[in-house]
Amino acid sequence: MNTPLLHQRFPHLRETLPHIGLGSGPTPVRRLDALPAGGAPVWLKDDCAFGDGGWGGNKVRKLEWILPDAHRRGSRTILTVGGLGTNWGLAVALYARDHGLRTALALVDQPVDEHVRAQLSRLENSGAAIHFTHSKTRTILAAPMLFARHTSGRHLPYYLPPGGSSPIGVLGYLEAALELAGQVHRGELPEPTHLVTAVGSGGTIAGLQLGLRMAGLTTRAVGVVVNDTLRLDSATITRLAHRTVRLLCQRGADLSDLEPRVEDIDIVIDWLGSGYGHPMPEGERAQTLSAEREGLHLEPVYTAKAMAALLAMNEQGTFGDGPVLFLNTNGPR
């Protein structure tokens, strides 16, 4: 197993911040020449390829840091929240099971289509304890019952917010940004002026916000918000990045020169459509174009909307001469 780049940079963290390898990197990069022409050339970093178990994508990068932290705390169950078609919940259930942990999921309603029905079937077969709490409010009200039900002896469940967007989870995409910098330095792709990705809970872009600066890249992270059930503005994401910096400093890293700033990221809110989980025509078009022209398979809730935003912004000249990088966070197996 390769030593994480974060551990290579700060060797003391090997003892204070455990990591387990769940995937192989670096994930592939390639130019997307067959998409509609815009102002900037478009490149892809395909994190769909990350993950050695039953699910892939961005959630697995977070779990590389989360699962050992749950073991460190002595927890026996991970308790987390997601929509009916949650990729996050499925990744947790599959990888936690492989590492001796149980999973309990509180699921809130979202529009049900073929994608969600297939995901629900996978969730039911994953071995997770599933609780249909239907709404954010009812999930909060059910929290004491869920904690009590999934406490084992004196071991409280290890709670994770939606998408694993905790300071520990953020480390997954800090690591990915360091990985990207290595690919740039090796000449596998030019340094992007912008990196576009979907924002569902904030952890991925918070990690990129930190990691791109730590790596010395000038690439600007652009987050396309696809979730209207959480607060996902620049200030909220930057606060999460600050919490991650504090965590790293507490564990022994010297980050005195790394100060996350609101102005370091762009958050785009025009691609939600009717709300979380609701398809939109532009997303469906981007999904079809990506599959037919590039063999790139996106899903309707996150990545298709993010690609639609990238194509529209590129047509408008938002990225200048680029290049712009699309981070595909989808993870089917």
Side-chain angles (χ1 to χ4, degrees), residues 4-324:
L5 297 169
L6 188 60
H7 284 176
Q8 293 177 32
R9 188 172 289 247
F10 302 107
H12 183 67
L13 295 179
R14 299 182 189 193
E15 302 299 325
T16 62
L17 199 60
H19 172 274
I20 54 174
L22 302 177
S24 300
T27 52
V29 293
R30 62 183 171 97
R31 183 164 169 168
L32 301 179
D33 288 317
L35 293 179
V42 179
W43 284 72
L44 167 72
K45 183 169 174 62
D46 196 357
D47 263 17
C48 180
F50 195 88
D52 296 332
W55 198 253
N58 66 332
K59 314 306 184 187
V60 185
R61 285 195 186 267
K62 298 177 181 181
L63 289 168
E64 290 195 320
W65 302 91
I66 287 169
L67 293 181
D69 194 58
H71 281 298
R72 184 184 66 86
R73 294 192 193 181
S75 298
R76 297 177 180 176
T77 300
I78 293 178
L79 172 62
T80 193
V81 182
L84 293 176
T86 173
N87 292 335
W88 161 244
L90 181 61
V92 173
L94 295 175
Y95 284 92
R97 182 183 66 192
D98 290 344
H99 289 82
L101 294 166
R102 296 185 290 269
T103 301
L105 303 175
L107 300 184
V108 300
D109 294 341
Q110 72 178 86
V112 177
D113 57 13
E114 182 179 347
H115 167 74
V116 172
R117 281 189 288 270
Q119 194 74 331
L120 270 172
S121 177
R122 297 184 190 105
L123 288 168
E124 289 166 354
N125 292 328
S126 72
I130 297 175
H131 305 274
F132 294 97
T133 51
H134 301 292
S135 69
K136 182 177 179 179
T137 299
R138 291 178 65 177
T139 302
I140 294 169
L141 292 174
M145 177 274 293
L146 294 174
F147 269 86
R149 180 171 294 185
H150 295 289
T151 294
S152 177
R154 296 182 179 181
H155 301 282
L156 291 172
Y158 184 98
Y159 173 72
L160 284 167
S165 291
S166 66
I168 290 284
V170 166
L171 298 177
Y173 271 85
L174 191 161
E175 179 76 11
L178 298 178
E179 176 183 296
L180 171 64
Q183 292 176 293
V184 170
H185 295 325
R186 291 191 296 272
E188 296 174 30
L189 77 162
E191 181 174 348
T193 58
H194 298 79
L195 185 161
V196 177
T197 195
V199 176
S201 59
T204 295
I205 195 166
L208 293 169
Q209 181 183 16
L210 288 177
L212 291 170
R213 288 198 58 208
M214 184 183 288
L217 297 182
T218 60
T219 305
R220 188 168 188 83
V222 180
V224 181
V225 174
V226 298
N227 189 350
D228 56 353
T229 66
L230 300 172
R231 186 171 180 177
L232 293 168
D233 54 46
S234 297
T236 301
I237 290 164
T238 301
R239 282 195 294 272
L240 177 57
H242 272 286
R243 290 168 58 203
T244 305
V245 170
R246 287 198 298 272
L247 168 74
L248 288 168
C249 291
Q250 289 165 0
R251 301 293 176 91
D254 180 6
L255 295 175
S256 55
D257 59 344
L258 186 63
E259 182 70 17
R261 301 178 303 173
V262 171
E263 57 268 26
D264 286 340
I265 53 174
D266 293 325
I267 300 298
V268 180
I269 60 173
D270 302 327
W271 297 89
L272 267 167
S274 299
Y276 177 72
H278 289 267
M280 57 189 306
E282 297 89 343
E284 292 173 349
R285 175 176 176 269
Q287 189 176 10
T288 300
L289 284 172
S290 298
E292 292 181 350
R293 298 190 182 186
E294 293 287 359
L296 173 61
H297 298 287
L298 309 177
E299 43 69 45
V301 179
Y302 296 87
T303 49
K305 290 182 179 182
M307 177 60 84
L310 183 154
L311 294 175
M313 295 168 73
N314 202 21
E315 185 177 356
Q316 296 161 7
T318 303
F319 307 121
D321 293 332
V324 58

